[in-house]
Amino acid sequence: MTGVERVIVVIDDSSSRAAKLKALIEFMDAPAVLTASPADWTARVGDKRLAAVFVNEDLPDADMSRLLEGIREVDPNTPIVMVNGEQHA
Protein backbone atom coordinates (compact mmCIF):
# COMPACT_ATOMS: atom_id res chain seq x y z
CA MET A 1 0.00 0.00 0.00
CA THR A 2 1.32 3.41 -0.91
CA GLY A 3 1.30 6.46 1.32
CA VAL A 4 -1.30 8.22 -0.84
CA GLU A 5 -4.12 9.63 1.27
CA ARG A 6 -7.64 8.32 0.67
CA VAL A 7 -10.50 10.81 0.80
CA ILE A 8 -14.26 10.87 0.78
CA VAL A 9 -15.62 13.58 -1.50
CA VAL A 10 -19.02 15.26 -1.18
CA ILE A 11 -20.00 16.77 -4.53
CA ASP A 12 -22.86 19.25 -4.67
CA ASP A 13 -23.51 22.56 -6.38
CA SER A 14 -24.65 23.91 -2.97
CA SER A 15 -21.67 24.48 -0.70
CA SER A 16 -23.90 24.71 2.40
CA ARG A 17 -25.55 21.30 1.72
CA ALA A 18 -22.14 19.79 1.03
CA ALA A 19 -20.75 21.21 4.27
CA LYS A 20 -23.65 19.74 6.29
CA LEU A 21 -23.14 16.28 4.81
CA LYS A 22 -19.37 16.59 5.32
CA ALA A 23 -19.96 17.33 9.01
CA LEU A 24 -22.16 14.23 9.35
CA ILE A 25 -19.57 12.01 7.66
CA GLU A 26 -16.78 13.44 9.81
CA PHE A 27 -18.90 12.78 12.90
CA MET A 28 -18.53 9.07 12.05
CA ASP A 29 -14.73 9.44 12.32
CA ALA A 30 -14.03 9.43 8.60
CA PRO A 31 -10.35 10.33 8.22
CA ALA A 32 -10.53 12.84 5.37
CA VAL A 33 -13.61 14.41 3.80
CA LEU A 34 -13.61 17.10 1.11
CA THR A 35 -16.42 19.11 -0.43
CA ALA A 36 -16.43 20.11 -4.07
CA SER A 37 -18.62 21.32 -6.88
CA PRO A 38 -19.13 19.23 -10.01
CA ALA A 39 -16.71 21.58 -11.81
CA ASP A 40 -13.81 21.53 -9.35
CA TRP A 41 -13.81 18.09 -7.75
CA THR A 42 -10.73 16.80 -9.58
CA ALA A 43 -8.69 19.85 -8.55
CA ARG A 44 -9.82 19.45 -4.93
CA VAL A 45 -8.93 15.73 -4.89
CA GLY A 46 -5.54 16.24 -6.53
CA ASP A 47 -3.36 13.15 -6.17
CA LYS A 48 -5.39 11.61 -3.35
CA ARG A 49 -7.22 8.30 -3.85
CA LEU A 50 -11.01 8.21 -3.74
CA ALA A 51 -12.41 6.21 -0.83
CA ALA A 52 -16.02 7.12 -1.73
CA VAL A 53 -17.99 9.86 -3.42
CA PHE A 54 -21.32 11.29 -2.21
CA VAL A 55 -23.19 13.04 -5.04
CA ASN A 56 -26.31 15.21 -5.00
CA GLU A 57 -28.74 13.23 -7.17
CA ASP A 58 -30.41 16.45 -8.33
CA LEU A 59 -27.46 17.67 -10.40
CA PRO A 60 -28.31 18.51 -14.00
CA ASP A 61 -28.02 15.50 -16.34
CA ALA A 62 -25.02 16.92 -18.22
CA ASP A 63 -23.12 17.56 -14.97
CA MET A 64 -24.03 14.12 -13.65
CA SER A 65 -22.83 12.38 -16.82
CA ARG A 66 -19.50 14.22 -16.82
CA LEU A 67 -19.06 13.60 -13.12
CA LEU A 68 -19.74 9.87 -13.26
CA GLU A 69 -17.46 9.46 -16.28
CA GLY A 70 -14.71 11.41 -14.48
CA ILE A 71 -15.00 9.24 -11.37
CA ARG A 72 -14.90 6.12 -13.53
CA GLU A 73 -11.70 7.38 -15.19
CA VAL A 74 -10.03 8.04 -11.83
CA ASP A 75 -11.06 4.71 -10.28
CA PRO A 76 -13.88 2.56 -11.65
CA ASN A 77 -14.18 0.79 -8.27
CA THR A 78 -14.98 3.93 -6.27
CA PRO A 79 -18.22 3.59 -4.27
CA ILE A 80 -20.70 6.30 -5.29
CA VAL A 81 -23.56 7.25 -2.98
CA MET A 82 -26.40 9.24 -4.51
CA VAL A 83 -27.82 11.67 -1.95
CA ASN A 84 -31.17 13.44 -2.06
CA GLY A 85 -30.36 17.11 -2.50
CA GLU A 86 -33.49 18.50 -0.87
CA GLN A 87 -32.81 20.67 2.12
CA HIS A 88 -35.35 20.64 4.91
CA ALA A 89 -35.77 23.33 7.54
Side-chain angles (χ1 to χ4, degrees):
M1 180 84 184
T2 67
V4 176
E5 181 183 6
R6 292 174 58 85
V7 296
I8 294 172
V9 184
V10 177
I11 300 175
D12 196 330
D13 50 6
S14 166
S15 59
S16 63
R17 268 194 316 249
K20 288 177 184 178
L21 182 53
K22 177 183 186 278
L24 287 172
I25 295 168
E26 288 174 332
F27 179 74
M28 296 183 289
D29 290 331
V33 184
L34 302 174
T35 61
S37 73
D40 73 355
W41 75 273
T42 54
R44 300 268 301 136
V45 170
D47 63 351
K48 298 170 187 77
R49 293 194 57 212
L50 296 173
V53 178
F54 288 73
V55 178
N56 176 352
E57 68 181 5
D58 295 332
L59 292 175
D61 289 344
D63 288 345
M64 185 66 75
S65 293
R66 279 190 300 275
L67 179 62
L68 295 177
E69 181 60 31
I71 294 167
R72 191 175 8 244
E73 288 175 8
V74 171
D75 182 351
N77 298 312
T78 300
I80 300 171
V81 180
M82 303 303 279
V83 179
N84 185 311
E86 292 182 26
Q87 199 167 29
H88 301 284

